[in-house]
């Protein structure tokens, strides 16, 4: 079976934790225990988030007096792909001796006329009080949006249109390699391969990658056991199976489960007969056997 496993942000960092390398490496080791179960007897491609890491580097770059301009987001995305890919590959080799593992620096093509460029919505980096936010806007031309009582930078999040290294990733998987690819949604580039100042949603890129690889299963791994009906109420209950149409009707929040649900729907609709599963990183064997998580299949 060919599986694409998309690691949520909790795989590397949990809310409130410091962005220390040691903390993230500890979580990578926990994640690899689940991934090792998916890799046994299967072809496995792994994607991952990089939001906190890109945010940290963006803030550091903007604050560095030695730089006349901060590093662009495409370069920061590439940096974090390399770092996280290295951590995952190292721990997978330790967990699965003899398996070939490779991390592929991946570019994701976006359309220059994507409406997202006129409406930046993706939060990047830390929160600023109003005076500092005004200064950052003036100095760097950032778009900022209120987040609670403070302000944060927002950047465009255009649709993933294609994956530049798809043919290479396919050959590696066909050859028996375990591949780490499209980290953070991939480095956003235009059709001319010029990097753009944006962040691509990691789950939507994972769905695109899974469909193009003709995967049998897309695992969207997070810190909750399933998609919940009536989430946040006393009547909340896990959903075991659902169609894309009914899942979209739930109107899940954009900042958490919404993108995962949309990614699952797109994959299930494009790969009829395949299944997308949303569930906990600690439940991988049960997710694959159909005894845990939420399974999304098109009728």
């Amino acid at each position: 079976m060919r599986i694409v496993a998309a690691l949520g942000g909790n795989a590397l960092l949990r809310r409130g934790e410091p962005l220390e390398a040691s903390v993230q490496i500890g979580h990578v080791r926990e994640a690899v225990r689940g991934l090792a179960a998916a890799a046994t007897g299967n072809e496995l491609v792994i994607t991952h988030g990089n939001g906190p890491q890109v945010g940290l580097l963006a803030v550091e770059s903007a604050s560095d007096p030695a730089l006349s301009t901060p590093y662009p987001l495409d370069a920061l995305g590439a940096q974090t792909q390399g770092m996280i890919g290295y951590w995952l590959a190292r721990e997978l080799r330790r967990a699965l001796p003899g398996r070939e593992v490779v991390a592929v620096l991946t570019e994701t093509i976006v359309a220059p006329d994507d409406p997202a460029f006129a409406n930046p919505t993706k939060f990047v980096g830390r929160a600023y009080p109003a005076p500092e936010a005004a200064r950052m806007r003036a100095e760097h031309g950032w778009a900022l949006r209120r987040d609670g009582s403070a302000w944060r930078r927002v950047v465009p999040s255009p649709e993933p249109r294609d994956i530049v290294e798809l043919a290479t990733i396919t050959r590696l998987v066909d050859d028996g390699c375990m591949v780490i690819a499209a980290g953070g949604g991939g480095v956003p580039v235009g059709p001319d391969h010029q990097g753009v100042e944006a962040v691509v949603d990691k789950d939507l890129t994972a769905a695109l990658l899974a469909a193009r690889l003709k995967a049998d299963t897309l695992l969207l791994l997070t810190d909750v056991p399933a998609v919940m009906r009536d989430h946040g109420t006393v009547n909340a209950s896990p959903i075991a199976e659902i169609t894309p149409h009914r899942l979209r009707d739930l109107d899940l929040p954009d900042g958490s489960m919404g993108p995962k649900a949309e990614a699952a729907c797109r994959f299930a609709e494009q790969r009829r007969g395949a299944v997308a599963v949303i569930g906990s990183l600690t439940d991988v064997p049960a997710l694959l056997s159909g005894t845990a998580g939420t399974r999304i299949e098109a009728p």
Side-chain angles (χ1 to χ4, degrees):
M1 182 163 61
R2 180 167 290 184
I3 301 167
V4 172
L7 300 179
N10 64 294
L12 293 175
L13 201 71
R14 289 163 192 161
R15 189 177 296 275
E17 289 184 328
L19 263 165
E20 302 285 348
S22 59
V23 172
Q24 297 177 71
I25 291 169
H27 289 315
V28 166
R29 289 173 178 157
E30 293 173 8
V32 162
R33 284 196 284 272
L35 294 171
T40 303
N42 297 311
E43 297 174 331
L44 180 63
V45 177
I46 301 161
T47 74
H48 60 81
N50 68 347
Q53 294 79 14
V54 165
L56 174 68
L57 293 180
V59 170
E60 290 180 344
S61 179
S63 305
D64 191 333
L67 298 176
S68 59
T69 57
Y71 274 60
L73 285 174
D74 60 308
L76 300 182
Q79 288 182 47
T80 56
Q81 272 196 43
M83 178 180 71
I84 297 167
Y86 158 64
W87 285 339
L88 283 166
R90 183 182 68 186
E91 298 306 324
L92 284 163
R93 291 189 185 105
R94 289 174 172 172
L96 299 165
R99 287 290 297 268
E100 290 187 79
V101 185
V102 61
V104 177
L105 183 64
T106 310
E107 297 177 9
T108 298
I109 293 178
V110 301
D113 59 352
D114 191 297
F117 289 108
N119 181 33
T121 58
K122 195 82 165 181
F123 286 118
V124 172
R126 69 177 182 85
Y128 298 96
E132 190 175 1
R135 179 174 62 82
M136 301 304 279
R137 181 185 287 113
E139 289 183 3
H140 304 299
W142 288 355
L144 292 109
R145 181 171 293 181
R146 186 178 291 279
D147 183 20
S149 61
W151 294 79
R152 291 179 67 191
R153 181 186 181 189
V154 287
V155 301
S157 185
E159 286 277 328
R161 306 287 179 174
D162 203 358
I163 295 167
V164 173
E165 293 79 11
L166 179 66
T168 302
I169 294 167
T170 302
R171 286 196 298 270
L172 289 166
V173 176
D174 287 344
D175 220 24
C177 291
M178 196 182 326
V179 181
I180 302 156
V187 177
V189 298
D192 59 354
H193 300 284
Q194 179 65 41
V196 298
E197 197 74 349
V199 172
V200 183
D201 184 89
K202 67 182 185 304
D203 294 315
L204 297 185
T205 301
L208 176 64
L209 178 63
R212 297 285 175 86
L213 287 173
K214 297 180 170 60
D216 302 291
T217 302
L218 171 62
L219 292 179
L220 294 156
L221 302 172
T222 182
D223 58 352
V224 296
V227 180
M228 305 297 288
R229 196 182 308 277
D230 299 321
H231 175 71
T233 73
V234 294
N235 298 318
S237 60
I239 300 169
E241 296 183 5
I242 194 168
T243 65
H245 176 72
R246 291 190 177 278
L247 183 56
R248 287 195 176 101
D249 281 347
L250 295 180
D251 193 26
L252 297 165
D254 290 339
S256 55
M257 189 58 74
K260 290 178 175 56
E262 179 58 27
C265 291
R266 292 187 187 188
F267 174 72
E269 289 167 342
Q270 292 174 38
R271 285 283 293 153
R272 301 275 171 164
V275 61
V277 188
I278 300 174
S280 173
L281 179 61
T282 61
D283 291 338
V284 170
L287 297 177
L288 292 174
S289 69
T291 57
T294 300
R295 296 172 64 84
I296 300 94
E297 293 182 78

